[in-house]
Amino acid sequence: MSPVSLKRHGTVSVITIDNPPVNVLSQPVRQGLVDCFDAAEADAATEAVVLICAGRTFIAGADIREFDRPPEEPQLPDVVARIEATTKPVLAAVHGTALGGGLEVAMACHYRLAHRMSTLGLPEVTLGLLPGATGTQRLPRLVGVERALDMMLSGEPVAAGAAMEAGLVDKLTGEDLLAEAISYAEKLAKPGPRRVRDLAVEPVDAAVFDAARKRISQKARGLLSPERIIRSVELATRGDFDAGRAAERRFFLECKASAQSQGLRHAFFAERKTATIPGIGKETPSRKIENIAVIGAGTMGAGIAYSCLTAGFTVQLLDKDEAGLARGATAVRKLFDGGLARGKFARQDLESSLQRFHASRDFADLGGTDLVIEAVFENMAIKKEVFARLDEVCKQGAILATNTSTLDVDEMASATSRPKDVIGLHFFSPAHVMRLLEIVRGAETSGDVVVTALDLAKKLGKIGVVVGNCFGFVGNRMLYSYGRENQLLLLEGAAPEYIDRILTDWGMAMGPNAVGDLAGLDVGYKARQERRDRPDDPRFYRIADLLAELGRFGQKTGKGMYRYEQGSREPVPDPEVQALIRDEARRLGVPQREISETEIVERCIYGLVTEGARILEDGISHRASDIDVVWINGYGFPRHRGGPLNFADTIGVKKVYRTVAEFEKRFGPEYWTPPQLLRKLAEKNGRFGDIGN
Ligand code: T1G
């Protein structure tokens, strides 16, 4: 049964796509469209055609899953050409989202009607692609070159109202979309088809393209598709639609075959898989959460409180220290002022959120709370004290969560009589910005508590990744291996700024030394002090420990691995640190040498891959792609490389294994013994991507 149907209403033929959940243009849909447009064309009683979708949205684009398979006919550019060639006026009736190939199909239609709440966009760049079915040629003809470049280079969809103003949409409606579309189409029979391909592109100054190239050189350094988008739009200004279309297609196939697009497509699906938890059925109910309490009014506590308030929850911020509580409450209000200034919400939203915000110093006020998120000092004794108190005051069924970034969740749960209601909710700093929420499932955490945590993540606009309980969980446990290699490379002669430049050129959002200074070297130092299985190696994080013991905590003290001018966040190499490293290397008997860029990338990134493999072996993560999602959304790992384990699959696990085995010989088994899983995958030419999927 074709997912595309045709039904005539008077003189208007209505073509409906019904391909849940988001009406993607998979092969049966493409074939169905061609068949239905052929039928409407041949039907003498049809004077106009409406294209509409069933379900919650218009077409959300091409079927991305098909990109890893040989292409099937009819291909989308041919479907688009077929629609535009229709000799009777064609109206696209848009609701929900018209994205990518979906907007290209709508622009192949001669007119566009959109529901007021709909959005329209060409997000292909977020997948390392560019519109591949004439979008780069049609959009500039409708909205102008600059607006088209903005939309395609950002990938951000626009609201229907703005699309109307820009000329992308001809009419808006808030009513019954199908009825509105049929009556509008009846009126179009007279003017007849108006083909976008025949429209001229408003000429612009070449400076517009120079400016666009400058923008992408800063924001999308080394990425292929943004440059191809600019090139295609430049060709569109030459007015030869078919020449532009042919070039766009060449660029599209080039980008589709690129490792960058493979990485970005992997990330797209990986982020949608995290909510499927083996052993927890889709029917598992989620607990009702309206009231949330945050314990600890520090930076993280305030950020978490703000996130929960902007998501509509009632929030109580609790801190036993009066001054601390006042500082926390002020920080929350400051975040709201910032959000208002950036147009994130309207003043009345700010006021209604603050009405749901309460500050308290008394645990007794938590009797009615549905969820408590503890964000106090990273010290086990203090945390256990808090959990024991929560166990006394919180109602049965309340969820008791900890925001710890490394400590044992089961040990905290053991301080209560209800370990099944205890879970880790590890937010990343800044809590209101970072999209990742590491959800730590304890040995006794019940399934409905896990499901409730995943729902909470979605409501907060975050990606919840469920992981097991161990030191550092997934993210920080892997960070230890990555950071360890950085620290050893410093001792062996690589300057902090050299390591950071190589890893940022490779794609990391920030280098490990700049990240250490941002997070605070004191934070890492205290966490290492709490660690019970610290390696017996005097070189282990030696430089970071020394700097912390000297009070060089990083940005917050103006000095860390780097120096920071007053009020600046710009890291400046500090000769004092260089000398300290040299002296310590001499004291520890570590010879200094020239270190290649390749060695730095391999030791830091393969450190991640190796620890990722151990995490999978230990069952701390359900699937390899979850680990990729953690590092992309929590640690600035380049999205276009798809995460550490996807990267290993891209270059070949065998290559990684061989290099790790070499490192074991060179640097010893303590850090570089290849995990069994890595060896097995290498032997059978396997992929991490197949684990847990
Ligand atoms: N292809 C295949 N599957 C898709 C898909 C797509 N384009 N979009 C969504 N899905 C699946 C998704 O994996 C999930 O599956 C289910 O649909 C619901 O999605 C030639 C080259 C539309 C805003 O980039 O942004 O067109 O997990 O959980 O939160 O020029 O999906 O249930 O098994 O995200 O309500 C361009 C991608 C493609 C839009 C809905 N289009 N999609 O969000 O649901 S490239 C896009 C989205 C292209 C042409 C080019 C969102 C959404 P499962 P969901 P949602």
Side-chain angles (χ1 to χ4, degrees):
M1 166 94 147
S2 168
V4 186
S5 58
L6 169 68
K7 186 163 179 266
R8 188 152 49 70
H9 301 250
T11 60
V12 176
S13 275
V14 175
I15 296 175
T16 305
I17 299 173
D18 188 1
N19 185 31
V22 290
N23 291 312
V24 296
L25 293 157
S26 42
Q27 192 280 339
V29 172
R30 298 194 303 272
Q31 187 59 58
L33 283 170
V34 170
D35 299 344
C36 287
F37 273 92
D38 288 350
E41 183 81 76
D43 175 23
T46 293
E47 294 177 4
V49 181
V50 166
L51 174 61
I52 195 164
C53 289
R56 63 184 162 118
T57 181
F58 191 73
I59 305 165
D63 188 337
I64 308 168
R65 288 168 297 219
E66 289 187 359
F67 291 163
D68 300 320
R69 303 197 293 257
E72 294 174 271
E73 299 300 329
Q75 302 217 27
L76 190 53
D78 305 325
V79 176
V80 161
R82 190 291 139 260
I83 293 172
E84 183 165 55
T86 307
T87 60
K88 304 163 184 185
V90 180
L91 171 69
V94 172
H95 75 294
T97 57
L99 300 174
L103 182 53
E104 290 173 300
V105 165
M107 292 192 287
C109 299
H110 307 136
Y111 302 90
R112 283 152 294 283
L113 166 70
H115 189 281
R116 286 184 200 293
M117 300 311 289
S118 61
T119 60
L120 304 91
L122 294 175
E124 284 84 346
V125 73
T126 65
L127 298 165
L129 300 166
L130 73 165
T134 69
T136 64
Q137 304 305 303
R138 292 177 187 281
L139 193 60
R141 283 172 163 77
L142 285 169
V143 304
V145 165
E146 289 177 83
R147 189 70 192 260
L149 282 173
D150 285 351
M151 286 179 66
M152 289 188 274
L153 290 175
S154 70
E156 287 297 318
V158 294
M164 174 85 177
E165 276 162 32
L168 180 53
V169 160
D170 301 291
K171 194 164 186 266
L172 296 179
T173 179
E175 309 310 317
D176 175 337
L177 185 66
L178 179 59
E180 284 279 320
I182 291 171
S183 76
Y184 184 18
E186 284 162 352
K187 300 187 188 72
L188 294 171
K190 188 106 189 50
R194 180 197 62 185
R195 295 185 175 84
V196 174
R197 62 167 292 144
D198 302 334
L199 300 176
V201 179
E202 291 294 309
V204 292
D205 191 281
V208 168
F209 295 106
D210 301 342
R213 284 195 168 90
K214 190 152 178 287
R215 275 202 312 279
I216 65 168
S217 67
Q218 283 141 5
K219 286 217 192 103
R221 209 156 23 90
L223 294 186
L224 188 62
S225 68
E227 169 52 35
R228 296 295 179 271
I229 288 170
I230 297 172
R231 190 83 197 93
S232 302
V233 177
E234 265 175 335
L235 290 167
T237 60
R238 303 222 182 119
D240 179 340
F241 183 87
D242 294 319
R245 177 177 60 176
E248 174 201 86
R249 192 69 191 166
R250 274 197 316 280
F251 296 151
F252 174 76
L253 296 173
E254 177 196 12
C255 289
K256 188 174 80 152
S258 71
Q260 290 181 0
S261 181
Q262 182 280 337
L264 290 162
R265 294 187 329 245
H266 169 80
F268 176 88
F269 287 115
E271 286 169 355
R272 281 159 179 77
K273 251 183 241 139
T274 63
T276 307
I277 310 299
I280 299 183
K282 280 204 177 324
E283 73 298 336
T284 306
S286 178
R287 294 189 190 176
K288 183 173 71 49
I289 306 288
E290 284 170 356
N291 298 299
I292 297 178
V294 179
I295 316 292
T299 313
M300 285 305 285
I304 295 168
Y306 172 78
S307 301
C308 296
L309 285 164
T310 49
F313 295 101
T314 295
V315 174
Q316 220 171 149
L317 182 61
L318 189 141
D319 198 303
K320 62 182 185 343
D321 174 59
E322 183 147 11
L325 185 59
R327 267 196 311 277
T330 307
V332 171
R333 288 195 185 83
K334 216 155 149 251
L335 287 169
F336 271 104
D337 296 340
L340 187 67
R342 286 193 309 281
K344 288 254 181 219
F345 40 73
R347 174 154 295 284
Q348 71 264 27
D349 303 326
L350 178 151
E351 270 139 24
S352 73
S353 292
L354 289 180
Q355 268 150 26
R356 287 181 272 104
F357 178 47
H358 312 284
S360 161
R361 295 183 54 214
D362 191 348
F363 275 81
D365 294 341
L366 302 181
T369 303
D370 304 314
L371 164 67
V372 181
I373 304 174
E374 164 279 310
V376 301
F377 203 57
E378 277 286 74
N379 173 285
M380 184 55 87
I382 296 173
K383 292 195 185 275
K384 288 175 84 170
E385 210 184 291
V386 169
F387 273 81
R389 189 81 183 91
L390 292 174
D391 194 30
E392 288 163 12
V393 297
C394 289
K395 67 181 179 183
Q396 285 310 311
I399 295 176
L400 309 182
T402 170
N403 177 52
T404 182
S405 59
T406 55
L407 300 178
D408 185 338
V409 173
D410 289 331
E411 189 168 344
M412 287 174 226
S414 70
T416 76
S417 61
R418 50 177 115 181
K420 65 176 180 42
D421 299 330
V422 175
I423 194 164
L425 291 180
H426 178 204
F427 288 77
F428 287 73
S429 180
H432 63 290
V433 176
M434 297 298 281
R435 288 186 67 207
L436 180 66
L437 182 63
E438 207 175 22
I439 297 171
V440 185
R441 185 178 185 178
E444 298 183 53
T445 305
S446 65
D448 67 330
V449 170
V450 173
V451 168
T452 309
L454 284 164
D455 280 357
L456 174 78
K458 205 160 187 175
K459 289 192 181 115
L460 297 179
K462 297 186 183 303
I463 302 171
V465 180
V466 178
V467 301
N469 181 36
C470 66
F471 188 92
F473 317 128
V474 166
N476 283 345
R477 176 172 162 176
M478 292 168 72
L479 183 64
Y480 259 90
S481 304
Y482 175 80
R484 176 202 69 221
E485 287 309 306
N486 170 54
Q487 291 284 318
L488 292 170
L489 287 160
L490 291 171
L491 280 171
E492 294 164 32
E497 62 274 15
Y498 173 62
I499 296 171
D500 284 4
R501 178 178 63 71
I502 288 160
L503 289 170
T504 48
D505 286 355
W506 189 81
M508 297 301 290
M510 277 176 90
N513 298 297
V515 169
D517 278 359
L518 174 70
L521 296 177
D522 53 327
V523 178
Y525 182 79
K526 289 190 192 104
R528 285 191 296 278
Q529 303 309 318
E530 286 274 337
R531 189 171 176 174
R532 299 202 180 112
D533 58 347
R534 186 185 170 110
D536 175 21
D537 172 359
R539 303 166 305 153
F540 186 78
Y541 280 83
R542 183 62 193 143
I543 301 303
D545 285 352
L546 266 179
L547 294 173
E549 285 154 9
L550 289 167
R552 298 180 64 119
F553 297 159
Q555 288 190 11
K556 59 181 145 187
T557 56
K559 280 185 177 183
M561 191 66 79
Y562 296 102
R563 227 163 16 80
Y564 300 84
E565 306 300 340
Q566 192 59 34
S568 157
R569 288 169 172 273
E570 192 56 36
V572 180
D574 188 338
E576 263 180 49
V577 171
Q578 217 33 48
L580 177 148
I581 294 174
R582 243 193 335 274
D583 297 348
E584 194 58 18
R586 198 172 306 118
R587 191 183 70 77
L588 291 169
V590 178
Q592 299 220 313
R593 58 188 171 87
E594 288 300 311
I595 300 174
S596 73
E597 300 198 3
T598 305
E599 180 177 342
I600 287 179
V601 170
E602 289 184 342
R603 283 175 63 178
C604 292
I605 303 301
Y606 293 3
L608 287 177
V609 174
T610 306
E611 197 58 35
R614 293 196 183 104
I615 284 171
L616 288 169
E617 283 176 346
D618 296 351
I620 295 294
S621 182
H622 296 299
R623 55 184 75 86
S625 61
D626 282 1
I627 294 176
D628 290 332
V629 171
V630 165
W631 266 76
I632 289 170
N633 292 288
Y635 298 82
F637 193 94
R639 196 179 171 82
H640 67 268
R641 292 185 186 278
L645 299 184
N646 182 71
F647 169 69
D649 285 345
T650 311
I651 59 170
V653 175
K654 195 173 278 197
K655 176 178 173 356
V656 176
Y657 172 70
R658 284 207 196 104
T659 309
V660 169
E662 262 166 49
F663 286 165
E664 183 186 25
K665 293 197 196 90
R666 279 180 65 189
F667 305 116
E670 183 167 19
Y671 299 140
W672 287 106
T673 301
Q676 289 291 326
L677 176 61
L678 188 65
R679 185 171 53 73
K680 282 200 197 114
L681 286 175
E683 282 164 1
K684 64 179 179 152
N685 239 340
R687 301 175 64 257
F688 281 107
D690 302 331
I691 297 173
N693 281 325

